[in-house]
Amino acid sequence: MEEFDRVPSDFQSTNNPSLSPSSSSNGHTLTISPGMTQYWTPHYEDEIKPAVDMIFKTLDVGIEFYNHYTAKVRFDTRSSSVVIARDGTKTQKQIVCNREGFKNTGAQHCHSQSSADAGEGPSRPKRRRVSNRTGCSARIIFKYIGAAGYQVTTFIEKHNHSMSSVLARQFLKGNRNISSVHQKFILDCAKENIGASKSHGLYSHIVGDYSEVGATVVDFKNVRRDLRAYILGADAQILVHNLIKKQEMCPAFAFDYEVDEDEQMSILFWADPMSKKNFAAFGDVVSFDATYSKNRYNLAMGIEPRIIVTDQDPAMKVAIPTVFKQARHRYCMWHIMCKVGEKVGPTLNKDEEFRNKLNSIVWTSSLEPPEFEKQWRELMEKYNLVEHNWFTTMFEARKHWIPAYFRDGFMGGLLRTTSRSESENYTYSRFTGPQSSLVEFMMNFDSALKSQRNTNAKLNSDNEGYNPDMKTPLGIEKHASIVYTITVFYQVQEEICAFCFKCMVLSVREDGGMLHYDIMDGKNKRFTVVHNVTDHETKCSCKMFEMVGLLCRHIFVVFRDLEKIPLKYVVNRWTKDASLKATFEIDGVIYDQNGPKDEKKMLLNKVRSDIHCCMDLAGKEKLSPQHSRRTVIESYCGSTEISEINILPPKHAKNKGSGKRIKSSEELAMEKQEGRMCNFCGVRGDHHDTRTCPLNPKNKDKQKGKKKYFEDISSGSGSIRHITSHPQMLNSQPLDVVWKLDDELETENDK
């Protein structure tokens, strides 16, 4: 039997042959053979240490026992060989230290060298890998002995390398275990598009430290890898199966799909009850972004919409009229106008007069088609662009993007660009990724949808109890605050204030039972309102109601005697009830969004919440179940509130290049202009123009008119109501022109 000298395990020099025997107290003993080979032998309690002739009922129990031992003494293992009988029984199993054997690099080096010498060119560069193989002989062998189970026939415990350090213990395979808890957490994070690295960091905060996670980032990534491997090939089938289960649980859920000649999914459509309800209420205009990123399969994301807004995608131009027979296809104005600078060249692009005139013609919604065409031709002739190919093409397609051609279509002015699509893109990009499979995409989509609906629920909650300030004593304004959502009400309130302070009735005439009002709005802007007194049928030449579904200031001039807005002019999409109705009907099925919930899932969520609270309380002794937010913050910061501050934080520093965004010529031109220029005195300034200029003699009379108007309003004499009740008096006693800026209006109302 070979003799060995024993030395302390922490001895650093291995070249001294005259070492005195010694034992180690660091969990293992270092021995040196006569050939100066070092061997480390772990020593641990016999209760967890395997031994020859030990018998285990099953092979798995034996392997688990050995893995527990290796984790304690700090070394990794790997499966080496297995002998299987004809009946499938494993008769022998060998597990070795993971540093057994040596890395075989000679054959690869010789092959690369011979290829280069043969003139085949340099070989493909390979990743440089380090090896931890040292030829360690530590191992264990289990042998099947029949009904008794498996017996340990060989157990070699000495290693020719040191054991892992305490710091490296957490990275050993024996100490890394992806449990079902880990997997559930990783997949829940995947639904929110949280990657493996962030998931690993979040889990470390839950358990207290990275060393307590029980897995590495790579282990977390492997769970996602296994998920994709599981659904590989069956991706579309699993998705359809899940959609069928959703339909069984909720009959109002609908989906459909198509496959191509290769039996591959090419089209998928689905809609839950809430989506159907929202489309019925808000589906007048659809914005579609054909350029948005697609998933790994290159796939993009009831009642026919009135208008579909897209960019100038040629495929959409063909598909939309084929699928939607009544919907109008509208091009995104923003995408078109962004090309102007490129098409006209740098010289004309810097001409502010040209850009301002073009924008005033293209973006305005007040021009009728003949007037637009006239002004367009004049502009083209003035700047020699009549034969310009791009402008000619855009003029030929004018019915697809110019607002003048959408004035008569209901809700035609609701969307003119795909900016809403860009906003949705940002929302969904936080939940989806380009490498997502169909199953992952559907989970991510559901998460994004839940997030959006939660935000919408918060906005609806804000609408329930708000009480906005009234700027006039008119009952119609009060009714608008009750009917409309808060955002829409502010727009309607602006129109109501504008009719009070910026509009003047020039004349009223009767023709065939219809009253025709000529109204001046602002400076030299005249509009005509036709009003049927019997049924309150009213139309204005500005066509604001037709374009966006909200009454204009000119119609409010006619309706000023009414206490409520006629219901025919209250579009459902702008009201609170459009989103607050909990019960609605979809395809003949009554759906209650506040109906019974999954009690099992609710109970499980409650248990998880309680567990997190218990973990938090266990780690913070000072906190009680009734702890305040201040106490929690103090615990997070690790300090109580500082009463005296002697050290101030450093000044905020900007990184190199920070805040140096390149500005466009339009932005630079706007920065040079300091407020609007007054056409009367020529001075620029904020809130200064002809209407407010103190040098304008007309403003003296207007100030008197303002004072008289507010005195009538506050006293309740109702001079406006009196005149409106007798339209024939408007010709002989026209209302004085009252100009008022919004901030001045609010100040006067406060007074």
Side-chain angles (χ1 to χ4, degrees):
M1 184 175 180
E2 186 178 13
E3 295 181 357
F4 298 90
D5 290 332
R6 297 186 177 183
V7 298
S9 62
D10 56 351
F11 196 85
Q12 300 298 322
S13 175
T14 60
N15 297 323
N16 189 355
S18 59
L19 298 173
S20 59
S22 175
S23 61
S24 170
S25 60
N26 289 338
H28 61 270
T29 301
L30 173 62
T31 58
I32 300 179
S33 69
M36 299 306 296
T37 302
Q38 296 180 344
Y39 291 96
W40 282 260
T41 303
H43 52 82
Y44 221 84
E45 295 87 351
D46 293 338
E47 289 79 7
I48 68 167
K49 182 179 179 180
V52 177
D53 295 335
M54 288 184 69
I55 298 177
F56 300 94
K57 188 174 182 180
T58 64
L59 180 59
D60 291 337
V61 174
I63 294 175
E64 183 179 356
F65 183 85
Y66 185 63
N67 287 339
H68 180 66
Y69 163 75
T70 62
K72 290 291 185 181
V73 300
R74 306 195 302 272
F75 73 92
D76 265 340
T77 62
R78 72 174 188 270
S79 178
S80 176
S81 62
V82 61
V83 179
I84 302 177
R86 293 183 178 180
D87 60 355
T89 303
K90 295 179 180 180
T91 59
Q92 184 173 296
K93 174 70 176 180
Q94 180 177 214
I95 300 175
V96 300
C97 173
N98 74 325
R99 305 187 72 172
E100 181 267 347
F102 297 93
K103 183 179 180 181
N104 185 11
T105 58
Q108 297 176 359
H109 177 74
C110 294
H111 174 73
S112 302
Q113 187 66 31
S114 61
S115 299
D117 295 341
E120 298 179 4
S123 60
R124 187 180 64 180
K126 296 183 179 180
R127 180 185 301 176
R128 292 182 294 182
R129 296 179 181 273
V130 297
S131 174
N132 68 341
R133 301 293 181 89
T134 62
C136 182
S137 60
R139 68 193 63 222
I140 189 171
I141 298 177
F142 298 94
K143 186 175 182 180
Y144 182 65
I145 58 174
Y150 288 83
Q151 183 181 31
V152 177
T153 58
T154 302
F155 174 58
I156 301 176
E157 58 177 328
K158 67 179 181 179
H159 301 258
N160 65 352
H161 57 85
S162 62
M163 303 298 102
S164 299
S165 65
V166 177
L167 295 177
R169 177 187 297 177
Q170 58 180 304
F171 302 108
L172 297 176
K173 291 182 180 179
N175 292 322
R176 287 155 44 200
N177 178 29
I178 293 289
S179 64
S180 58
V181 177
H182 288 90
Q183 298 175 47
K184 181 67 168 60
F185 178 81
I186 296 169
L187 296 180
D188 285 343
C189 289
K191 293 179 182 179
E192 299 295 322
N193 198 29
I194 300 176
S197 298
K198 287 188 176 181
S199 301
H200 188 261
L202 289 173
Y203 198 87
S204 71
H205 283 284
I206 294 175
V207 297
D209 190 74
Y210 280 100
S211 61
E212 303 296 332
V213 173
T216 64
V217 176
V218 175
D219 296 328
F220 273 52
K221 291 181 178 179
N222 289 342
V223 174
R224 298 288 298 271
R225 177 204 63 190
D226 295 341
L227 168 66
R228 290 170 180 169
Y230 175 80
I231 64 180
L232 184 65
D235 194 9
Q237 190 65 51
I238 295 175
L239 176 62
V240 173
H241 177 71
N242 292 339
L243 293 177
I244 291 175
K245 290 196 296 185
K246 284 187 176 183
Q247 195 174 53
E248 292 174 351
M249 295 176 60
C250 178
F253 181 88
F255 79 97
D256 198 3
Y257 66 95
E258 292 182 6
V259 296
D260 56 17
E261 60 275 4
D262 298 324
E263 298 298 323
Q264 294 179 328
M265 179 180 287
S266 58
I267 299 174
L268 175 65
F269 175 84
W270 73 97
D272 63 3
M274 283 295 296
S275 297
K276 291 182 179 181
K277 170 196 171 185
N278 291 335
F279 186 78
F282 310 109
D284 302 291
V285 182
V286 174
S287 177
F288 188 92
D289 185 4
T291 65
Y292 183 54
S293 61
K294 306 170 179 64
N295 68 351
R296 64 188 300 181
Y297 300 107
N298 204 32
L299 296 173
M301 309 260 301
I303 302 173
E304 186 169 316
R306 304 175 190 272
I307 297 175
I308 300 179
V309 183
T310 72
D311 57 4
Q312 293 173 276
D313 184 79
M316 297 297 294
K317 185 177 180 180
V318 176
I320 288 175
T322 303
V323 177
F324 301 106
K325 304 301 181 182
Q326 305 297 328
R328 294 186 62 184
H329 184 195
R330 183 169 189 172
Y331 298 155
C332 173
M333 294 182 64
W334 183 84
H335 283 91
I336 294 176
M337 294 302 290
C338 282
K339 301 177 183 178
V340 172
E342 173 189 348
K343 301 298 182 181
V344 300
T347 303
L348 194 55
N349 184 41
K350 295 179 181 178
D351 190 333
E352 292 188 19
E353 182 182 357
F354 166 74
R355 296 299 296 260
N356 292 337
K357 183 61 177 176
L358 179 63
N359 288 332
S360 65
I361 296 174
V362 169
W363 288 98
T364 181
S365 300
S366 60
L367 294 179
E368 292 289 346
E371 183 63 23
F372 161 76
E373 295 173 4
K374 176 185 175 182
Q375 295 190 23
W376 177 279
R377 284 193 296 267
E378 292 175 352
L379 183 66
M380 296 298 107
E381 292 173 358
K382 180 178 180 180
Y383 291 95
N384 298 321
L385 297 173
V386 176
E387 297 181 358
H388 193 283
N389 292 333
W390 185 79
F391 280 100
T392 302
T393 303
M394 289 297 97
F395 183 73
E396 292 174 353
R398 61 190 181 279
K399 294 184 179 180
H400 289 285
W401 66 286
I402 296 298
Y405 297 91
F406 291 88
R407 284 168 54 82
D408 294 326
F410 189 64
M411 293 297 175
L414 196 61
L415 284 182
R416 299 187 293 183
T417 68
T418 56
S419 58
R420 295 298 176 92
S421 293
E422 303 294 338
S423 175
E424 289 296 294
N425 292 349
Y426 169 74
T427 300
Y428 285 97
S429 65
R430 295 186 296 113
F431 292 89
T432 60
Q435 299 301 320
S436 300
S437 62
L438 292 176
V439 174
E440 290 176 301
F441 168 77
M442 184 60 69
M443 290 189 297
N444 296 149
F445 178 84
D446 288 341
S447 297
L449 206 58
K450 290 177 182 177
S451 175
Q452 255 192 347
R453 288 174 179 174
N454 179 66
T455 302
N456 187 55
K458 177 62 172 65
L459 294 174
N460 290 335
S461 175
D462 294 340
N463 276 314
E464 289 182 0
Y466 80 91
N467 186 23
D469 295 332
M470 300 294 108
K471 293 189 175 182
T472 71
L474 301 178
I476 202 168
E477 181 187 8
K478 182 65 177 177
H479 179 246
S481 69
I482 298 173
V483 173
Y484 294 116
T485 63
I486 186 169
T487 303
V488 175
F489 165 71
Y490 287 141
Q491 300 180 30
V492 176
Q493 186 183 53
E494 184 178 348
E495 294 298 314
I496 293 175
C497 293
F499 103 72
C500 289
F501 303 112
K502 295 183 180 181
C503 294
M504 181 178 70
V505 178
L506 300 179
S507 65
V508 178
R509 58 185 177 86
E510 184 177 357
D511 183 11
M514 308 291 287
L515 293 178
H516 296 256
Y517 292 79
D518 290 330
I519 300 174
M520 187 171 75
D521 177 11
K523 186 177 181 180
N524 299 327
K525 294 181 180 179
R526 301 182 63 169
F527 299 91
T528 302
V529 178
V530 180
H531 175 54
N532 188 331
V533 182
T534 305
D535 57 3
H536 295 298
E537 187 76 27
T538 308
K539 286 189 177 181
C540 180
S541 58
C542 75
K543 298 184 179 179
M544 177 178 171
F545 179 76
E546 287 78 5
M547 289 190 291
V548 298
L550 295 175
L551 291 179
C552 63
R553 60 192 65 182
H554 318 115
I555 293 181
F556 276 121
V557 171
V558 179
F559 284 170
R560 73 181 73 182
D561 270 349
L562 301 180
E563 291 293 327
K564 294 183 179 180
I565 301 174
L567 292 180
K568 66 175 68 176
Y569 296 110
V570 178
V571 179
N572 182 62
R573 68 170 295 130
W574 303 128
T575 63
K576 300 176 184 178
D577 291 340
S579 299
L580 293 178
K581 288 182 179 178
T583 305
F584 51 91
E585 182 178 348
I586 298 293
D587 299 333
V589 179
I590 302 299
Y591 181 80
D592 185 4
Q593 62 189 83
N594 295 330
K597 307 293 183 182
D598 189 340
E599 294 185 1
K600 183 178 179 180
K601 183 177 293 186
M602 293 176 62
L603 181 61
L604 183 61
N605 293 336
K606 180 65 168 58
V607 171
R608 287 176 180 168
S609 177
D610 292 342
I611 290 175
H612 284 294
C613 291
C614 292
M615 293 171 60
D616 182 65
L617 294 174
K620 304 176 181 64
E621 298 179 357
K622 295 182 179 180
L623 300 185
S624 64
Q626 293 80 24
H627 57 266
S628 64
R629 180 177 300 179
R630 179 175 175 178
T631 308
V632 175
I633 294 175
E634 289 177 350
S635 175
Y636 173 79
C637 295
S639 172
T640 58
E641 185 177 1
I642 303 298
S643 58
E644 183 179 356
I645 299 177
N646 298 321
I647 304 175
L648 299 177
K651 294 182 179 180
H652 291 284
K654 291 186 177 180
N655 295 330
K656 185 178 180 180
S658 175
K660 295 183 179 180
R661 181 177 62 86
I662 299 177
K663 298 181 180 180
S664 64
S665 57
E666 290 84 354
E667 288 180 288
L668 294 175
M670 292 177 63
E671 289 179 355
K672 292 180 180 179
Q673 298 180 3
E674 299 177 354
R676 295 178 57 183
M677 184 181 69
C678 176
N679 292 331
F680 187 83
C681 65
V683 176
R684 289 186 179 275
D686 295 335
H687 305 301
H688 181 89
D689 54 22
T690 308
R691 298 172 294 178
T692 60
C693 180
L695 301 180
N696 189 349
K698 294 183 179 179
N699 289 336
K700 296 180 180 180
D701 297 334
K702 294 176 184 177
Q703 294 296 334
K704 296 178 181 179
K706 294 180 188 177
K707 184 176 181 181
K708 177 65 168 60
Y709 180 82
F710 281 106
E711 288 176 352
D712 292 340
I713 292 293
S714 60
S715 63
S717 58
S719 59
I720 295 180
R721 298 175 180 275
H722 178 69
I723 295 175
T724 311
S725 302
H726 302 81
Q728 65 276 11
M729 298 178 60
L730 288 173
N731 286 330
S732 58
Q733 300 182 16
L735 291 177
D736 190 15
V737 181
V738 180
W739 304 104
K740 192 71 179 174
L741 295 174
D742 290 341
D743 54 348
E744 294 177 334
L745 168 63
E746 187 171 353
T747 303
E748 289 287 353
N749 281 342
D750 292 340
K751 292 180 181 179

